[in-house]
Amino acid sequence: MIWDDDDDEVWQTTTYAIDIICSYYLSYIHKEPCMDSFHTGLVWLQEIMRGNERRCVNLFRMDKDTLIKLCLDLELHYKLKCSKKMTILEKVGMFLYHSGETVSRSFHEVLKVMMCLSIDMIKPIDPTFSNIPPETLNDDRYMPHFKDCIGAIDGTHMSAYVQEENLIQFIGRKGVPTQNIMAAYSFDMQFTFVMAGWEGTAHDGRLFQYAINKQNLNFPKPPPGKYYVVDAGYQQMEGYLAPYKGTRYHLPNFQRGGRPRGLKEIFIRWHSSLRCCIERTFGVWKARWKILQTIHSSCVNDILHNYIRRKALADPPFEQLDKSPKFIPPDIFRDADDIQVEESSQESGALQINALRDQIAYNLILANNDY
């Protein structure tokens, strides 16, 4: 029996469905009681820390060990202090449980140190990009063709709640008020840069130009010879590798329409595959934080997303995708009809990245001569 890519996709989808069914069974049919306490405050938290592991995950979106690590880090490195009436565990627990709902002195105290934590969490682990990412280095599909790729950039839309006089500028192609968020991603499903709060009508290219040119935002720019992969909504320029225009792009298009043909389609097939780290990152993010209501809560969620990725010994949302590196969570893809920019620039940087794209495409043709 020959096992091809289509069989692999079916297997991953089936595995994903089985995981959902098992999770549903354990959560709703054969389950240990999770919400069985009438206590509040410290007694309630102590009961959670001694009780069912799933209860802690359901309430705080992380396991007990990661929650304790977070409390210790905020105390030791970011100067969060207990008070006469509240322990640090109570403050952090209240912040996580009531994030976006409760306004209090303790809530804002934890929010302040969370913003300090973001400086260390929302950035590349290797700020010099001197090493090839393991996800690329250990994958024959990408090596050596994309050895200098350091991550991916894209935007996403989230619900926005704005004053009525500002409503129109936040209603874009989604048909509802949204904020446009630009983010950079590493291949291990972490955010390395996030810029939130722009109106939903703002084009991705506008956010991109603002982010890379505004020095105080500290966007992690690629060093010479390195680059991010971006989609067709971004201008092809040095350090930012976009796909060819006028060719089917997203992976589902290839899955529905057969194997890629020709130099451009083969390049775009693997360019799109590299950018799947975006959908996979947001797959974990949206699964964990189901209610994304405000700009502040989304920023905190980004911080905690990276913190859990780095600190948790075992985390089901991440583990599920780690076990299936080719799988993309459903209903995560952005609109396929992205507005495109013209490749009219003749600057040397654009010419260099165009030449790099052509060279990678040619090498992929040689490496995949069965296409």
Side-chain angles (χ1 to χ4, degrees):
M1 176 179 178
I2 299 175
W3 189 274
D4 57 23
D5 290 343
D6 291 337
D7 294 325
D8 196 35
E9 295 293 340
V10 171
W11 172 254
Q12 291 171 14
T13 303
T14 303
T15 303
Y16 186 70
I18 291 172
D19 287 344
I20 293 175
I21 293 170
C22 291
S23 177
Y24 181 87
Y25 177 79
L26 293 174
S27 298
Y28 300 104
I29 300 175
H30 182 77
K31 60 181 182 179
E32 297 179 57
C34 288
M35 306 297 291
D36 58 354
S37 174
F38 295 99
H39 296 131
T40 59
L42 182 59
V43 175
W44 177 68
L45 280 166
Q46 289 174 337
E47 188 177 82
I48 291 171
M49 300 308 289
R50 291 194 297 264
N52 187 295
E53 182 74 42
R54 183 173 284 106
R55 184 181 183 187
C56 184
V57 174
N58 288 343
L59 293 174
F60 306 125
R61 298 297 183 255
M62 63 186 74
D63 59 46
K64 301 173 189 175
D65 290 339
T66 307
L67 177 60
I68 294 299
K69 290 176 184 176
L70 178 62
C71 292
L72 290 174
D73 280 340
L74 294 180
E75 178 183 15
L76 298 175
H77 304 299
Y78 301 96
K79 300 181 179 179
L80 180 63
K81 299 183 182 299
C82 60
S83 64
K84 292 182 179 179
K85 296 183 178 180
M86 294 187 73
T87 66
I88 288 176
L89 179 61
E90 285 180 275
K91 289 184 176 182
V92 175
M94 184 198 72
F95 176 84
L96 295 174
Y97 185 62
H98 296 289
S99 180
E101 301 172 9
T102 299
V103 179
S104 68
R105 179 178 177 181
S106 295
F107 177 88
H108 286 288
E109 184 182 355
V110 179
L111 179 61
K112 184 178 179 179
V113 297
M114 279 289 182
M115 293 301 103
C116 295
L117 177 63
S118 70
I119 297 174
D120 294 327
M121 283 292 116
I122 309 296
K123 68 177 186 180
I125 295 178
D126 175 16
T128 64
F129 300 110
S130 56
N131 300 313
I132 300 175
E135 294 77 16
T136 306
L137 181 64
N138 299 321
D139 195 325
D140 292 338
R141 296 175 299 167
Y142 306 128
M143 281 295 291
H145 319 295
F146 295 99
K147 62 182 176 60
D148 294 319
C149 186
I150 59 175
I153 298 173
D154 202 2
T156 190
H157 286 255
M158 281 177 39
S159 297
Y161 296 86
V162 296
Q163 296 179 344
E164 187 173 354
E165 58 267 25
N166 298 323
L167 192 61
I168 298 300
Q169 60 185 323
F170 279 85
I171 300 179
R173 65 178 183 272
K174 303 293 183 180
V176 296
T178 63
Q179 55 172 308
N180 194 351
I181 300 175
M182 174 189 156
Y185 312 79
S186 63
F187 294 122
D188 66 339
M189 295 183 283
Q190 293 193 49
F191 295 96
T192 57
F193 176 83
V194 177
M195 184 175 70
W198 282 65
E199 60 272 19
T201 55
H203 186 261
D204 289 350
R206 180 183 168 199
L207 274 68
F208 170 68
Q209 291 295 333
Y210 184 86
I212 65 175
N213 291 312
K214 197 73 171 178
Q215 292 186 354
N216 64 348
L217 292 180
N218 296 317
F219 177 79
K221 294 183 179 180
K226 303 287 185 176
Y227 57 87
Y228 290 96
V229 286
V230 298
D231 73 7
Y234 298 90
Q235 184 176 359
Q236 174 94 329
M237 56 189 293
E238 184 177 8
Y240 306 93
L241 184 65
Y244 291 102
K245 307 289 185 178
T247 308
R248 57 180 175 159
Y249 183 70
H250 290 300
L251 280 182
N253 293 334
F254 290 110
Q255 294 166 359
R256 291 191 297 265
R259 296 160 71 86
R261 299 292 180 183
L263 180 144
K264 291 185 178 181
E265 281 200 0
I266 289 177
F267 170 83
I268 286 175
R269 167 67 174 84
W270 297 117
H271 183 281
S272 174
S273 177
L274 263 181
R275 290 185 64 255
C276 281
C277 66
I278 297 167
E279 283 79 17
R280 290 163 62 80
T281 302
F282 268 107
V284 174
W285 190 63
K286 291 181 179 181
R288 192 188 309 278
W289 316 107
K290 295 184 184 302
I291 301 177
L292 306 173
Q293 294 185 342
T294 67
I295 293 173
H296 292 300
S297 69
S298 67
C299 291
V300 170
N301 294 343
D302 297 340
I303 299 164
L304 294 174
H305 172 96
N306 280 14
Y307 187 89
I308 293 169
R309 181 57 160 166
R310 298 181 190 183
K311 301 290 185 176
L313 297 178
D315 181 73
F318 279 119
E319 286 182 331
Q320 185 175 358
L321 292 183
D322 285 335
K323 292 176 181 177
S324 303
K326 296 181 181 180
F327 181 71
I328 305 169
D331 300 323
I332 300 298
F333 284 103
R334 298 176 57 232
D335 295 343
D337 57 344
D338 292 332
I339 300 173
Q340 297 185 357
V341 297
E342 296 296 329
E343 291 181 335
S344 58
S345 174
Q346 295 301 315
E347 297 177 359
S348 61
L351 295 175
Q352 290 174 3
I353 200 71
N354 286 341
L356 173 64
R357 181 174 63 186
D358 292 341
Q359 185 61 52
I360 292 175
Y362 179 73
N363 290 338
L364 285 169
I365 281 282
L366 296 179
N368 297 273
N369 52 23
D370 57 325
Y371 285 102

